[in-house]
């Protein structure tokens, strides 16, 4: 079974992750993982924390001489900021006389939109730091490291994954439609990983404006996977449907409030003749063809061989410098919500996290379909299946 899990608090010692179910023999390049971690940190609108962190993965188990062993892969990403929080985040019991309130940075004013209040109520936390440290999007660095391993597995099956920002703070008015090559042309150092330079310049100006105002912005990212073979996921039960699994994976990214596959919500207001992708056949290439891909590569919860296209819609970040109204959980008096520091927006970073979540979901589906204990065994099973499709 392929699965992954993460642990770690935002200002704790480190983030850790365990990935289980990777086949043996998969090449693992730590620099490739680190490049993904760097991509997640990039983006106009990030705050002071990203100047402190320089995320690097360290493999603790499951990899030997640059290849997986088939055993659980454990990795760790150090929090450089930890040294500034050792007392606040200490795992040892603290004597209250040696821990004055101001030093403990207790949080009592929940931020609307964050997990603070709901989590505080649920876990009976009187210091909301007990909630926010784990609810922080810092955790997504660990997911990106896991996703980098999933990407390495998928690349053995010819799958490539990219992401880009298609809307930020309502700019442009409708989300951008960009083909695979267009996404590939976005330079690595584009401030917001957006294919349209004019729209990007307007987004940057809006980020500046909202930073001045102490406000925040959301937006829409798109993840595209190319080379995904038809037949991942299944129509046979609700939990096997890959569209549902992808939606869940993307919805679990902090601030994502909606997910769309292919034409997504727009399809709901169009007639069937303008939505469904007609089917043709290329006799020479022995392949079914589609002139359009409004389905986003998924039909019946199964990949259909077209590009997989999924979008994540983010609400604005819930930590505002110009804090919203809240209530002190102790005094019950009206107060402004807590603010330490924050990003104005993190939509490009969410796109990279989206890539990781898509990669992990596809890797799980590929492990189900092609099995194999060694990556070459998996690849043989995959090639045999591809032949079966060609002869269909
Ligand atoms: C976050 C708050 C900020 C962000 C953080 C998510 O961190 P801090 O509280 O340390 O200023 O920078 O994102 C990351 C640390 C990251 O690695 O993406 C939050 O409250 O969710």
């Amino acid at each position: 079974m392929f699965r992954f899990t993460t642990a770690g608090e935002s200002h704790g010692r480190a983030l850790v992750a365990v990935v289980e179910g990777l086949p043996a023999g998969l090449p693992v390049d730590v620099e490739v993982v680190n490049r993904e971690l760097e991509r997640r940190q990039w983006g106009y609108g990030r705050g002071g924390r990203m100047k402190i962190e320089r995320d690097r993965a360290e493999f603790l188990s499951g990899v030997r001489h640059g290849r997986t062993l088939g055993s659980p892969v454990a990795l760790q990403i150090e929090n450089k900021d930890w040294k500034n929080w050792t007392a606040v985040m200490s795992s040892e019991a603290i004597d209250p006389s040696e821990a004055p309130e101001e030093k403990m940075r207790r949080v009592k004013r929940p931020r609307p939109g964050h997990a603070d209040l709901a989590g505080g109520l649920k876990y009976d936390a009187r210091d909301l730091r007990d909630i926010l440290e784990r609810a922080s999007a810092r955790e997504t660095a660990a997911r990106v490291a896991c996703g980098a391993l999933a990407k390495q597995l998928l690349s053995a099956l010819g799958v490539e994954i990219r992401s880009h920002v298609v809307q930020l703070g309502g700019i442009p008015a409708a989300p951008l439609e960009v083909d695979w090559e267009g996404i590939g042309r976005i330079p690595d150092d584009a401030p917001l990983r957006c294919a349209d330079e004019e729209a990007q310049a307007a987004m940057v100006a809006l980020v500046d404006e909202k930073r001045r105002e102490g406000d925040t912005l959301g937006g829409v990212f798109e993840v595209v996977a190319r080379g995904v073979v038809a037949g991942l996921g299944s129509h046979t039960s609700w939990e096997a449907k890959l569209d549902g699994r992808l939606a869940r994976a993307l919805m679990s990214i902090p601030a994502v409030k909606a997910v769309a596959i292919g034409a997504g919500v727009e399809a709901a207001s169009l007639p069937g003749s303008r939505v469904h992708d007609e089917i043709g056949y290329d006799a020479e290439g022995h392949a079914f063809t589609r002139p359009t891909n409004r389905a986003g590569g998924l039909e019946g919860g199964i990949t259909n061989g077209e590009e997989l296209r999924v979008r994540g819609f983010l609400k604005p970040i819930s930590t505002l410098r110009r804090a919203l109204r809240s209530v002190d959980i102790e005094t019950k008096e009206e107060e402004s919500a807590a603010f330490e520091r924050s990003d104005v927006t993190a939509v490009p970073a969410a796109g990279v996290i989206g890539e990781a979540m898509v990669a992990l979901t596809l890797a799980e589906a590929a492990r189900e379909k092609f099995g194999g204990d060694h990556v070459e065994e998996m690849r043989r099973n995959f090639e045999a299946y591809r032949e079966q499709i060609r002869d269909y």
Side-chain angles (χ1 to χ4, degrees):
M1 184 173 41
F2 181 87
R3 60 181 181 181
F4 77 101
T5 190
T6 75
E9 278 73 43
S10 181
H11 304 99
R13 188 184 293 266
L15 298 165
V16 295
V18 177
V19 184
E20 280 180 272
L22 286 167
L26 182 72
V28 172
D29 184 342
V30 72
E31 282 320 308
V32 172
V33 178
N34 288 337
R35 204 148 53 232
E36 291 296 302
L37 291 173
E38 227 171 273
R39 289 178 66 233
R40 192 199 69 96
Q41 290 199 271
W42 181 254
Y44 200 74
R46 301 303 304 270
R49 178 77 186 272
M50 288 303 101
K51 292 190 182 76
I52 300 172
E53 300 300 340
R54 191 160 178 270
D55 294 339
R56 317 279 297 167
E58 208 185 318
F59 286 98
L60 307 176
S61 76
V63 183
R64 180 163 181 256
H65 301 162
R67 287 187 184 270
T68 54
L69 296 171
S71 52
V73 174
L75 60 89
Q76 133 170 342
I77 301 164
E78 183 193 337
N79 283 325
K80 294 216 180 300
D81 207 12
W82 150 254
K83 63 177 190 304
N84 305 317
W85 296 78
T86 47
V88 177
M89 295 304 294
S90 169
S91 58
E92 274 156 42
I94 286 213
D95 179 347
S97 63
E98 282 171 34
E101 183 89 343
E102 65 286 357
K103 207 176 144 200
M104 284 301 108
R105 299 168 83 156
R106 208 173 135 204
V107 180
K108 294 186 294 176
R109 294 169 288 131
R111 292 159 296 171
H114 223 291
D116 304 348
L117 181 57
L121 290 168
K122 178 173 166 67
Y123 290 90
D124 197 22
R126 306 305 165 118
D127 177 357
L128 298 176
R129 184 165 302 286
D130 288 352
I131 305 302
L132 68 89
E133 284 289 336
R134 180 64 182 158
S136 163
R138 177 87 191 125
E139 181 266 343
T140 61
R143 296 200 215 181
V144 167
C146 298
L149 297 175
K151 278 187 177 182
Q152 273 170 274
L153 174 65
L154 292 170
S155 79
L157 310 179
V159 177
E160 288 176 276
I161 300 178
R162 290 176 178 168
S163 74
H164 61 137
V165 171
V166 294
Q167 198 177 45
L168 199 141
I171 296 174
L176 296 166
E177 309 253 350
V178 185
D179 63 16
W180 175 260
E181 287 73 27
I183 305 169
R185 280 195 293 274
I186 302 172
D188 283 344
D189 60 354
L192 289 164
R193 200 169 290 111
C194 177
D196 182 322
E197 280 185 33
E198 214 174 292
Q200 183 168 258
M203 291 171 182
V204 165
L206 185 64
V207 170
D208 288 339
E209 184 187 316
K210 294 302 156 198
R211 181 183 284 116
R212 281 194 300 274
E213 293 170 3
D215 213 334
T216 58
L217 294 165
V220 186
F221 67 80
E222 182 173 57
V223 178
V224 185
R226 194 173 71 156
V228 183
V229 72
L232 298 186
S234 173
H235 65 292
T236 54
S237 74
W238 71 269
E239 55 197 336
K241 285 174 176 266
L242 198 66
D243 39 13
R245 292 158 68 178
L246 284 164
R248 178 188 177 186
L250 289 181
M251 199 71 111
S252 75
I253 298 171
V256 171
K257 295 298 270 185
V259 174
I261 294 177
V265 285
E266 290 151 50
S269 51
L270 294 170
S273 57
R274 288 181 53 203
V275 172
H276 302 298
D277 309 306
E278 292 188 303
I279 302 172
Y281 192 70
D282 167 16
E284 235 169 80
H286 290 263
F288 292 94
T289 58
R290 305 292 181 112
T292 54
N293 180 24
R294 298 187 199 102
L298 281 157
E299 288 171 310
I302 310 173
T303 55
N304 64 4
E306 299 296 308
E307 265 177 18
L308 193 83
R309 285 197 172 242
V310 290
R311 287 176 177 194
F313 295 69
L314 283 94
K315 66 180 179 181
I317 284 172
S318 39
T319 310
L320 279 71
R321 186 162 51 76
R322 182 172 290 178
L324 299 173
R325 256 187 311 183
S326 185
V327 170
D328 184 308
I329 55 168
E330 211 169 72
T331 65
K332 311 293 188 292
E333 298 290 328
E334 184 181 316
E335 297 268 5
S336 312
F339 177 82
E340 275 159 9
R341 67 185 164 200
S342 178
D343 308 324
V344 178
T345 192
V347 186
V352 177
I353 303 156
E355 289 177 39
M357 294 309 290
V358 167
L360 287 157
T361 308
L362 289 178
E364 182 190 44
R367 294 297 288 140
E368 282 163 15
K369 177 122 184 77
F370 305 116
D373 292 309
H374 190 278
V375 68
E376 286 310 319
E377 183 185 2
M378 184 183 185
R379 211 199 314 251
R380 279 198 303 277
N381 297 343
F382 168 72
E383 291 301 344
Y385 171 72
R386 276 231 300 215
E387 238 167 79
Q388 174 195 314
I389 287 186
R390 254 195 306 272
D391 296 343
Y392 177 79

